[in-house]
Amino acid sequence: MTNFRQIYYSFPVRLLVLHLRNHLVLLLVWFVLAAFSTGLVGRFFGMHYLMLTPEYHGQVNFWSFFLSGLTFGGLVMTWHLTAYLLCSNRFPFLATLAAPFTKFCLNNSLIPLAYLAVWFVCTIWFQSHDELTSSPEIGWNIAGFLSGTAAITGVLAAYFHLTNKDLNSFNWVPRPGGRLLFSQRLPSVREIQMGVTRWRVDTYLTERCRPRLVRSVAHYDPRVLEDVFRQNHWNAVVVLIAALFLLMVQGAFMDSTWARIPAGATLYLFASIVMGLYGAIRFWFRQWGTAVFLGLIFTVNLLTGWGFFNYRNRAYGLDYQKENRAVYNYAEIEKIGSPQNIASDHAATIEILENWLAKNRTPGNPRPKLLLVCVSGGGHRSALWTMQTLQKADIATGGKLLRQTALITGASGGLLGAAHIREAMLRHAEGDILAPQDPILVEDMGKDLLNAISFAVVSNDLFFPISSFRSGNFSYRKDRGYLFEHQLNENTHGYFSRKTSEYRQPEREAKIPMLIASPFVLNDARRMLISPQGLSYLMRPNAGRLAAQVEIDGVDFGRFFAEQQADSLAFSSVMRMSCTYPFILPNVWLPTSPSIEALDAGFRDNYGLGLSIRFAHVFKDWILENTGGVVFVQIRCWDKIHSIIPSDDKGVFENMLTPAEASGGNMTDIQDFEQDNALALLNDALGGNRVEMVRFHYRPVRKNREASLSFHLSRREKLDIYEAFYTADNQASVKALKQVLK
């Protein structure tokens, strides 16, 4: 019992109890970081490897871990500073000690040390099993992390040791006859009223980690103790403000690769900001802290909706001047879907198909199969899987796959990978020696994109984007959307640097397939159909006489935004709109009145199949007359058939969330069902079984080790994607494709 009391009334344990009682927000920050590191939260999006294998300049090494360690050390010091601001007044004995803040930090380290122990176990295992790192490299990496942590904590500790004052820095006179604060006696009524007995501490740890008894402070002048804490508190506030200011300044260097610290490091920085703000609000406003925090959120939301502070991400190249915005309503949309526009766009596309036919018709094959490639969303894994599949299948078919592809549709990462291959086709046709089948293209696409995004979030987007750049004839502000496009072009050596209109002529000449991006419009659930060609014939289902009774569900972007300089639209912005995953990338505001926002294409058609089926239906007469039929080549990262999720043992709150689960969790399954139905109707419309489907699925080679849905992939995940092409199912698909194209 005595040993328990000694442990319970030790300063480290009393601080832990105080945090559990009063500072759950601070503990929640540590819990979330630990959940990310262990993969309990965010594993599907790859959050765990951002924490466990930081990447800098495309490399995981000593310096990437060192930078991550620096920011972790900053988080640890922010934790101590915030806790000191909120807790130190409850422990007046601190003011009697030499270097009180140093001793407080030492005794307040149980939680950071517990997190560090969890992180050590996870990173060692992850580096060994997922990054396939050797033991000496793992040790060197961890040494880098610890070096960074020691460096920043050492600098800040030295600053506080030199600037924080203790009682020896003040002139004070002991009060005679003072009572002992922790004596073995009943407390006085006055002491109970003052609350001095509430947080009893018997021992604390010294710098040498040795327990020492707490001395009474009853004989000290309370005003002197208050002066010690006030001066130390101001030092803590100064450091927090300075750190916040440095983080904001760092955003000005977002174009510089040296400034883009590892994604895991930015999470530590973000956690530091949350802790610092929470501590400042609680320190200054005490019981009113929650109300002030909510009021601050409301005020920021109000201010950012007005004037200069009203900033929303834009598609680069478009004209956003207020007087030039397009009127977005059903009547205006119907105008661009007029019979005249449809006839004109239909004729132009027939010309493209005729050029495709001339390119693929041979004496031995006068009616070649028309290939429509449909790729699924799925972040980086889908981009790599799409590129790997297109390259390997094209080689297996002797170049027929890419040559006979007339159209590419899809969403998110899959469209990103297909667009990369298509640009390589165009460059190769223009004389570039790099062939579309070159593996280096896949390596480039596999480079990290998430570090740049997360860096921009913490150093720029959390505050206010001030830096600007020019695209086309207009100026735009830099945010994480801009940095995503910038990093994408850096990784791929400028493969996404063209304007969308620069693909118009190569598509018309059938040098490359047509590519249609179809981001989802948040405001009315329609989709923007983005292509350098006119697409008014795809704005509603091809219903013949019933066309007037069928609602328009798509908008021809080029025609609708012609006066907003749609021809100047950056192709990288098109790709970003198509893969605007919520929270990761910003919604794209379009220049309309009323304003509308574009989101990830996967919300409407995660597989691209629906749009390709509509295209084939529109041109069914030409297909029947000139080709041997339509072949849909679907490259997807999602299984069509999933195991049934049971509804047993659901609690009352889980049952309340069931409708949201049905609308969100089953969204892609619903799309599959509807597209299978449309595919069957197309087969009936073309007749004679002229529709064929060849599917390539990414399934993890190692069971339950599926690559995450993220813009960053580990080495093991990349290898798994590469190996997945050689599974029995996908090799059967290769054989079927070769047979179809024979």
Side-chain angles (χ1 to χ4, degrees), residues 81-82 84-85 101 159-160 164 231-241:
L81 288 168
T82 303
Y84 190 72
L85 281 172
F101 181 71
Y159 167 78
F160 285 114
N164 278 2
Q231 189 276 332
N232 291 342
H233 288 168
W234 274 112
N235 258 352
V237 171
V238 166
V239 169
L240 287 174
I241 292 174

Side-chain angles (χ1 to χ4, degrees), residues 625-640:
E625 183 180 348
N626 296 282
T627 74
V630 178
V631 180
F632 292 93
V633 179
Q634 190 179 51
I635 303 172
R636 53 188 292 156
C637 278
W638 311 79
D639 280 332
K640 278 183 64 64

Side-chain angles (χ1 to χ4, degrees), residues 170-191:
F170 295 88
N171 295 321
W172 62 278
V173 179
R175 293 186 303 170
R179 296 180 177 180
L180 295 177
L181 184 63
F182 298 120
S183 59
Q184 299 297 321
R185 61 169 176 77
L186 294 175
S188 67
V189 174
R190 177 64 175 165
E191 287 173 338

Side-chain angles (χ1 to χ4, degrees), residues 578-691:
S578 182
C579 58
T580 303
Y581 203 85
F583 308 113
I584 306 298
L585 288 171
N587 300 350
V588 179
W589 171 50
L590 295 173
T592 62
S593 179
S595 60
I596 60 174
E597 295 176 280
L599 281 163
D600 194 296
F603 282 99
R604 267 291 299 270
D605 187 356
N606 194 48
Y607 308 109
L609 187 57
L611 198 57
S612 283
I613 291 172
R614 183 175 296 184
F615 180 89
H617 195 261
V618 169
F619 296 100
K620 64 180 184 298
D621 293 336
W622 186 92
I623 291 170
L624 286 171
E625 183 180 348
N626 296 282
T627 74
V630 178
V631 180
F632 292 93
V633 179
Q634 190 179 51
I635 303 172
R636 53 188 292 156
C637 278
W638 311 79
D639 280 332
K640 278 183 64 64
I641 301 175
H642 303 100
S643 57
I644 307 301
I645 301 175
S647 291
D648 304 325
D649 304 321
K650 277 192 175 182
V652 61
F653 294 111
E654 287 178 285
N655 278 322
M656 291 173 65
L657 296 174
T658 299
E661 179 184 337
S663 61
N666 297 328
M667 179 179 66
T668 55
D669 291 336
I670 294 170
Q671 291 178 14
D672 258 330
F673 297 150
E674 295 300 325
Q675 289 171 4
D676 284 349
N677 180 61
L679 194 64
L681 293 175
L682 175 66
N683 183 65
D684 185 62
L686 288 176
N689 294 319
R690 288 187 174 88
V691 177

